[in-house]
Amino acid sequence: MAEPGSLMDASCIRFDAASELIAQRDPAITRLAALDLLVRAVWNGDFEPPPLSLHWPTPAQIEARAHPDAWMFVPIELPRAWLTKEQAALSIRPVELFKAGRDAIINVMYCNGHLPGDAEGWHALLDWKVEEPARRQAEALSALARIPVSAYTAEARVYLASLIIPRAKLQAWLDSCSANFHGLFVSAERASPVPPAAANDTGEVATAHRRGRPVLAAWPMIEAAAHQINQEHPDLPRKVLAGQLHALALGEFDEDDVPNEATILRRLGSILGDAGPSSQNEA
């Protein structure tokens, strides 16, 4: 049997092959434009696995993340410790496919110098030694979601084209974007069921996964900022915190990419790992 994510696994497809099929379906979209759409979706979090609760993941959530269609497959160089001395001496190190999300992809591309633009700028943003790593990671993902794939080097585009995604995951995202691509990667009769945790998750992110609707691009920054502000000002009323987060997000993102203040307030309990706003913070 073919390994999951391999070219012989009929349930998965590489980004370059997917881009070709999208371009064939819609003559107005070039292969590069289709790849651009897929890459931006990666950075926006549209292909992430179902979320886990921050502190106490449920069995259903864990089961959903083990679903065959939950993860992308990412080529990553094998660590030297896994190789023989002779293998480690090769100028091109062997790679293997790993289940991974966008955080792993950005880290691999950062380490390999594949991110677009100057390396010094990305180092200042992503260096693990700097303060507020979660916020900086969110800022990096936000920036990448707005950089066209044409700005990447040819080598970086080759890497992005080699990413592998389950066809069912890709089809669900395409169907949420446009009816023009219905049945392109998975026929309606063969469509995979929604991972079982989706019916048990709570919160806006879970709702987005359940409906096949892309998560708004501002959410990673909002979540990172919520933890930071809450740590510095733990007694800040939740309504005030929600207002601050909404204002911060509007300063970084287009209005269409930002949830409204009421939605942020509803999400704060799950983001910060408690049952919900206290009576004090509701005031």
Side-chain angles (χ1 to χ4, degrees):
M1 179 180 293
E3 289 295 319
S6 76
L7 294 180
M8 298 303 293
D9 179 10
S11 69
C12 296
I13 189 168
R14 277 175 49 123
F15 268 21
D16 50 4
S19 300
E20 176 72 28
L21 291 175
I22 290 172
Q24 290 177 6
R25 173 67 66 92
D26 188 342
I29 301 178
T30 66
R31 283 180 294 176
L32 185 62
L35 180 62
D36 184 88
L37 291 172
L38 298 179
V39 171
R40 290 176 190 256
V42 168
W43 301 135
N44 276 325
D46 297 341
F47 299 143
E48 290 296 279
L52 291 176
S53 301
L54 289 176
H55 297 292
W56 299 105
T58 67
Q61 290 173 337
I62 295 173
E63 182 182 354
R65 287 170 72 88
H67 191 276
D69 297 330
W71 295 87
M72 292 182 60
F73 294 88
V74 179
I76 300 177
E77 285 189 356
L78 292 175
R80 291 185 180 277
W82 295 13
L83 304 175
T84 66
K85 180 179 178 181
E86 291 75 15
Q87 289 174 331
L90 294 172
S91 59
I92 299 178
R93 196 181 308 173
V95 300
E96 192 165 310
L97 293 172
F98 291 88
K99 291 180 179 179
R102 60 180 179 168
D103 286 344
I105 297 172
I106 192 175
N107 289 335
V108 169
M109 296 188 70
Y110 168 58
C111 292
N112 291 337
H114 287 338
L115 295 178
D118 61 300
E120 293 79 8
W122 290 110
H123 181 72
L125 190 57
L126 291 171
D127 182 10
W128 66 270
K129 297 178 182 178
V130 299
E131 297 178 354
E132 304 178 89
R135 178 181 65 81
R136 289 173 178 266
Q137 183 89 342
E139 289 179 355
L141 290 167
S142 171
L144 286 168
R146 286 159 176 76
I147 295 175
V149 75
S150 58
Y152 292 75
T153 65
E155 186 178 6
R157 289 198 297 271
V158 168
Y159 181 79
L160 290 168
S162 73
L163 299 177
I164 295 175
I165 186 170
R167 288 173 176 264
K169 178 185 282 288
L170 177 57
Q171 187 66 61
W173 176 75
L174 278 173
D175 288 344
S176 73
C177 298
S178 171
N180 294 339
F181 304 100
H182 188 64
L184 180 59
F185 296 104
V186 178
S187 65
E189 294 77 15
R190 295 179 56 194
S192 296
V194 176
N200 301 306
D201 288 336
T202 58
E204 294 296 319
V205 172
T207 301
H209 279 279
R210 192 160 57 241
R211 296 174 182 170
R213 174 169 53 84
V215 178
L216 293 178
W219 273 120
M221 186 277 282
I222 290 172
E223 294 181 1
H227 285 285
Q228 179 66 26
I229 296 173
N230 186 66
Q231 183 177 8
E232 297 174 354
H233 306 285
D235 296 325
L236 188 68
R238 290 291 167 84
K239 286 184 178 179
V240 176
L241 175 57
Q244 291 184 2
L245 294 170
H246 186 254
L248 285 171
L250 287 176
E252 295 284 340
F253 297 87
D254 295 334
E255 186 174 358
D256 290 343
D257 293 328
V258 178
N260 61 43
E261 192 171 329
T263 300
I264 296 174
L265 179 60
R266 288 198 306 270
R267 279 283 310 281
L268 281 176
S270 60
I271 290 173
L272 297 176
D274 56 35
S278 66
S279 57
Q280 172 191 352
N281 286 333
E282 284 283 7

